[in-house]
Amino acid sequence: RSESISLNYMLPESTSKVFLRGAGDRSFFDLSAYYFQGLSYADWQKQLPGVTPVLDYDKRINAPEPLGGELRFQFNIANVNRQITQFTPSSMANSTLGGATAYGILTNLPSFPYESCVVFERGRCIVSGLAGNFARASAEASWRRNIIDDAGQVWTPFAYVRADAFFNNPSINNGFYATGYDPVQNFIRGNEEVIGRVMPAVGLEYRYPFIADAGQWGTHTLTPIGQIIARPNEGHLGRLPNEDAHSLVYDDTNLFSWDKFSGYDRVEGGIRANVGLQYNVVMPSGWTGSALFGQSYQVAGINSFAGRDLMNTGSDSGLDRRASDYVGRIQVNPNDNFSLITRGRFDQHDFSLNGFEAQAVAIFKPWLPISGSLTYARYEAQPLQGYPYRREGLRPGAAWQITPNWSIGGSVLFDLDRYLEVRDANSLAYMKYVSDARYGVDTAYTAGLANIQYRKTDAYT
């Protein structure tokens, strides 16, 4: 799939990684450690996490008869620590980098260049990362089997069980807040604790491809797809840290995923049904195309995407209602060297476009050892997840295959929505300057504040 353009309002940090990795025919192992270094003066190093270690192991084997099918075993261990809790406001008005400091509301932080919230409460402030040390161990065993009957129908029963153990040691009253009160206590208990979670599930996926051979007009396949997954509700929702499941991009690529969360810290619960219609065409000339359109439904139980954790993951995602947004994809491959892909997420009520991606990929082999891509993406605002403005960007990229084993590549991201935050931040700072001038406050200070605020928001671009 094309990589989603993830746009944010801060300069990215540098990432150092050391790892040991191994892969077999049906197995994978990775042991990694990460260190993040802030690149902007708006970054506060104490808020950036240390991740040591992260262990991933994945093994697949053939299931014994008469069960048949495939067994899969997955293990993950992660340990994350940071010195200071990272808060993210859900609006510019509640941000220490926006109008809040300009209005003199903030009094308990030593310096407003670091982003934080003015009001620390759910719905207005997000906990992007907790101070303290947090470790988690996860294990999952799953089974699935494809069964094709005489009519050509494809039945895929599956089952899995996942177990997680969380070892939480949050740091409360770490001395940063002048009042001695750490607002983390507004979101989570400050006790050292061990929490267990188990999630069993059973499900069935059904596909029935209809194939038509039209001769010179190609071979066409239309496949209705249905999937149902039954499991209990997600446990301890809102009580656990979320470090590896921040991102949730709902689109065609995870419509039929058993668990749509991107990491182990969250686990999908309740009974959910996913339905879709897939179309494929293959032309005698080598031209191919495909399309998919579908929707997801929370049939029973608590919708994990509507229940808010410390990051509000799932809010405004298109999955937080009983009937989800529609998702779709169209892909055209004129030949083996070129591909055009578009995908979108459409509102379930008025079919308005909530997310859109378009990508063109060109591979010039065997003529030239060069490949290139151009990706455009636009996502509507998700204020409950800390994105008060729409995100829009353009990313061209290229790679050069120097030898069969070595290549060099790069990409550039153009932020097309930067003016939205700059406009609002400068407007709020100017309002503060005018207000102070009217009431006889030292305008030299607020003028300087407005100038700092301008440079701050301009640095995001």
Side-chain angles (χ1 to χ4, degrees):
R1 61 156 295 183
S2 63
E3 181 183 357
S4 300
I5 295 180
S6 180
L7 306 179
N8 53 48
Y9 301 106
M10 301 293 289
L11 292 173
E13 66 280 344
S14 65
T15 303
S16 299
K17 177 181 179 182
V18 57
F19 63 91
L20 175 65
R21 182 174 297 166
D25 292 338
R26 302 178 68 182
S27 61
F28 176 81
F29 169 87
D30 184 273
L31 178 63
S32 304
Y34 296 84
Y35 176 77
F36 303 96
Q37 176 67 48
L39 300 179
S40 167
Y41 69 90
D43 291 324
W44 192 5
Q45 191 61 38
K46 291 183 177 182
Q47 289 183 328
L48 298 182
V51 186
T52 308
V54 177
L55 170 66
D56 278 295
Y57 180 73
D58 191 309
K59 176 68 175 179
R60 303 177 190 229
I61 62 173
N62 294 329
E65 297 297 339
L67 186 63
E70 179 184 75
L71 288 173
R72 182 182 185 186
F73 302 96
Q74 296 172 274
F75 301 94
N76 178 270
I77 297 174
N79 184 79
V80 179
N81 62 83
R82 62 169 54 80
Q83 292 178 269
I84 298 294
T85 299
Q86 182 176 4
F87 295 99
T88 302
S90 60
S91 68
M92 177 65 74
N94 196 39
S95 172
T96 61
L97 297 181
T101 52
Y103 285 103
I105 300 175
L106 185 64
T107 59
N108 63 335
L109 298 182
S111 178
F112 69 82
Y114 304 119
E115 183 179 39
S116 188
C117 300
V118 178
V119 178
F120 296 92
E121 62 182 36
R122 290 180 181 266
R124 302 181 65 181
C125 187
I126 297 168
V127 182
S128 301
L130 285 166
N133 191 77
F134 303 90
R136 176 190 37 75
S138 300
E140 180 176 314
S142 62
W143 167 83
R144 67 175 179 178
R145 179 179 180 180
N146 284 342
I147 301 172
I148 304 176
D149 62 20
D150 295 338
Q153 301 175 104
V154 182
W155 306 82
T156 307
F158 59 89
Y160 67 86
V161 59
R162 160 112 160 259
D164 306 288
F166 292 81
F167 306 89
N168 301 330
N169 185 15
S171 176
I172 303 296
N173 296 329
N174 48 44
F176 169 57
Y177 297 93
T179 61
Y181 174 75
D182 193 327
V184 167
Q185 298 174 73
N186 292 355
F187 302 88
I188 190 172
R189 295 186 306 184
N191 303 329
E192 181 178 351
E193 57 185 352
V194 177
I195 299 177
R197 182 179 65 189
V198 177
M199 179 59 70
V202 295
L204 177 67
E205 183 173 299
Y206 171 82
R207 296 173 182 249
Y208 195 3
F210 296 88
I211 303 174
D213 187 350
Q216 64 176 346
W217 299 105
T219 301
H220 304 260
T221 305
L222 189 65
T223 307
I225 308 172
Q227 183 188 72
I228 184 75
I229 307 173
R231 57 211 156 188
N233 295 327
E234 179 182 6
H236 306 290
L237 179 58
R239 285 186 54 198
L240 298 171
N242 178 5
E243 294 286 352
D244 72 346
H246 286 196
S247 173
L248 176 60
V249 180
Y250 169 49
D251 58 20
D252 62 286
T253 63
N254 58 8
L255 173 61
F256 296 104
S257 295
W258 298 351
D259 191 322
K260 295 178 175 60
F261 286 111
S262 59
Y264 286 91
D265 285 344
R266 292 293 307 275
V267 57
E268 187 177 343
I271 301 176
R272 179 168 289 273
N274 306 302
V275 298
L277 186 65
Q278 182 173 285
Y279 169 74
N280 297 85
V281 57
V282 179
M283 302 296 290
S285 62
W287 181 93
T288 64
S290 66
L292 176 68
F293 189 80
Q295 191 177 23
S296 181
Y297 302 89
Q298 186 72 23
V299 178
I302 297 175
N303 187 345
S304 291
F305 306 106
R308 298 181 183 177
D309 60 12
L310 301 181
M311 273 292 300
N312 288 343
T313 305
S315 300
D316 301 322
S317 66
L319 289 163
D320 49 340
R321 292 169 288 189
R322 183 167 293 275
S324 77
D325 286 352
Y326 300 99
V327 293
R329 180 203 72 240
I330 297 176
Q331 179 170 345
V332 176
N333 308 305
N335 52 48
D336 293 337
N337 298 93
F338 297 96
S339 296
L340 299 172
I341 308 167
T342 62
R343 53 172 41 91
R345 178 167 66 89
F346 307 90
D347 190 272
Q348 61 148 322
H349 294 299
D350 57 12
F351 218 67
S352 58
L353 192 60
N354 289 327
F356 176 77
E357 296 180 21
Q359 183 181 54
V361 179
I363 302 174
F364 297 99
K365 296 178 181 179
W367 311 290
L368 293 172
I370 298 174
S371 61
S373 64
L374 181 65
T375 305
Y376 168 80
R378 172 171 171 151
Y379 313 107
E380 288 304 307
Q382 296 174 296
L384 291 176
Q385 292 193 35
Y387 300 110
Y389 306 97
R390 73 166 185 267
R391 290 166 288 162
E392 185 177 15
L394 184 69
R395 173 182 286 165
W400 175 31
Q401 191 76 35
I402 302 173
T403 71
N405 297 320
W406 291 88
S407 65
I408 184 172
S411 63
V412 178
L413 175 61
F414 296 94
D415 188 347
L416 304 181
D417 60 75
R418 62 181 184 177
Y419 68 91
L420 295 172
E421 185 173 5
V422 173
R423 178 195 62 190
D424 285 1
N426 290 338
S427 176
L428 289 169
Y430 176 74
M431 291 170 60
K432 167 61 177 172
Y433 174 78
V434 172
S435 175
D436 284 353
R438 177 179 300 175
Y439 293 102
V441 181
D442 182 5
T443 56
Y445 167 76
T446 54
L449 179 62
N451 183 51
I452 292 172
Q453 184 63 54
Y454 173 80
R455 289 187 287 108
K456 167 66 67 177
T457 53
D458 190 54
Y460 295 163
T461 62

